[in-house]
Amino acid sequence: MSKTNVVLVPLTEDDRVQFIRDNQWAFKYGSIEEFGLRNDQFEEEGEIISRKTIEDSIDQGEDYRIMCDGKRVGGVVIHTEGDQGELDLLFTLPDVHSKGVGYAAWCEIEKMHPEVRVWETLTPYFETRNIHFYVNKCGFHIVEFFNPFHKGSKYPDEEQHGEEDDGRGLDFLFRKEIKE
């Protein structure tokens, strides 16, 4: 696979179910890689990220398949409003990790939206691959750490899980400011 052959293709309705499955597998893989099978931080039975969370993201954003050499290798969902952008989901399938595919996809997103001056995204504390990717590859900075002692206005568990949240929502908020 060549990262130069990475393109973003709008998600089609007939690929939606597989997109969700692929996203869930990518998140589960990261959790298993970090914790083994002992991790129990699931949004729904056996899944780190729930189908509903992904569906809501797709329904409210711009969604794309990451294609490389003609194969589906990941996906992305973004929201933009004026000069503000939110990277809601970005995943690559485990067999293309560390091949530059995610970074090439991120570069395509920035090219698609040159009007966006500030991008934000969230990632769980245990996703060390994601933290490395956003900070060291894409130029984001960690600007906030959401946890039971600091829920803040963008605390994801209040939005996604409601009152049944058990307080384990440990997420970093990343921000990238693009200078002209």
Side-chain angles (χ1 to χ4, degrees):
M1 303 225 145
S2 169
K3 63 184 173 187
T4 59
N5 294 329
V6 170
V7 294
L8 300 181
V9 177
L11 182 65
T12 60
E13 191 59 38
D14 64 331
D15 188 28
R16 183 179 171 113
V17 171
Q18 189 61 48
F19 180 97
I20 292 167
R21 287 183 187 139
D22 289 349
N23 190 189
Q24 287 179 316
W25 168 237
F27 273 73
K28 188 186 294 187
Y29 180 88
S31 176
I32 291 169
E33 189 175 61
E34 183 67 27
F35 297 111
L37 293 176
R38 71 183 188 275
N39 183 28
D40 62 355
Q41 298 188 41
F42 300 122
E43 281 191 11
E44 71 182 26
E45 186 64 37
E47 299 297 343
I48 299 297
I49 185 169
S50 73
R51 177 182 192 84
K52 181 177 180 347
T53 296
I54 300 167
E55 286 177 336
D56 289 349
S57 178
I58 291 169
D59 291 344
Q60 298 169 18
E62 289 177 52
D63 36 278
Y64 300 92
R65 257 308 184 169
I66 301 171
M67 305 290 290
C68 186
D69 296 331
K71 296 178 185 165
R72 293 180 285 203
V73 296
V76 63
V77 179
I78 59 173
H79 305 269
T80 61
E81 189 171 318
D83 65 352
Q84 303 292 307
E86 182 179 335
L87 174 60
D88 206 21
L89 296 171
L90 190 154
F91 69 93
T92 58
L93 296 175
D95 60 335
V96 299
H97 284 175
S98 301
K99 295 184 178 173
V101 172
Y103 180 69
W106 175 250
C107 291
E108 289 300 311
I109 293 166
E110 285 188 353
K111 285 182 206 170
M112 288 170 52
H113 289 282
E115 77 282 5
V116 174
R117 294 298 187 228
V118 177
W119 285 98
E120 289 189 344
T121 193
L122 288 165
T123 204
Y125 79 98
F126 64 85
E127 287 284 3
T128 55
R129 290 181 58 83
N130 290 3
I131 296 165
H132 163 73
F133 174 74
Y134 292 126
V135 172
N136 298 323
K137 296 289 186 182
C138 298
F140 281 77
H141 298 277
I142 297 171
V143 295
E144 210 162 353
F145 176 52
F146 300 112
N147 62 77
F149 304 104
H150 176 72
K151 295 188 178 191
S153 61
K154 291 189 177 194
Y155 188 65
D157 285 331
E158 286 183 348
E159 295 171 11
Q160 294 175 6
H161 306 297
E163 293 181 23
E164 75 275 1
D165 176 37
D166 64 5
R168 285 183 297 179
L170 303 171
D171 300 284
F172 289 108
L173 174 65
F174 296 85
R175 183 174 297 134
K176 180 175 184 176
E177 295 182 22
I178 299 175
K179 310 291 184 212
E180 290 189 48

